[in-house]
Amino acid sequence: MNGKYLLVKNNRNEWELPGGRLEPNELPEETLEREIYEELNIKCKVQKLLILGFLRLFQIKLYLL
């Protein structure tokens, strides 16, 4: 990691980390690729996924990738 972070402006004109949810039967790598395209209009291919942590909330796992 190089100490840089990617932030996007949301529809409330606030800065936030890009993110999203897993679609049914979608792998985390596919979710990351889709979210980067949806939010940044950049096509990419995930080579290696680094999971920084996860949180279970109401029987749902939330990942920080």
Side-chain angles (χ1 to χ4, degrees), residues 22-38:
L22 285 163
E23 298 291 335
N25 301 314
E26 188 176 52
L27 297 173
E29 294 87 347
E30 295 168 331
T31 302
L32 183 57
E33 292 167 2
R34 178 179 52 76
E35 287 294 334
I36 288 172
Y37 181 72
E38 287 177 0

Side-chain angles (χ1 to χ4, degrees), residues 6 40 43 48 54:
L6 176 66
L40 305 171
K43 289 213 175 229
K48 183 177 179 183
F54 76 91

Side-chain angles (χ1 to χ4, degrees), residues 8-16:
V8 294
K9 249 187 188 176
N10 62 26
N11 57 1
R12 297 179 307 275
N13 205 31
E14 301 167 336
W15 291 101
E16 65 184 11

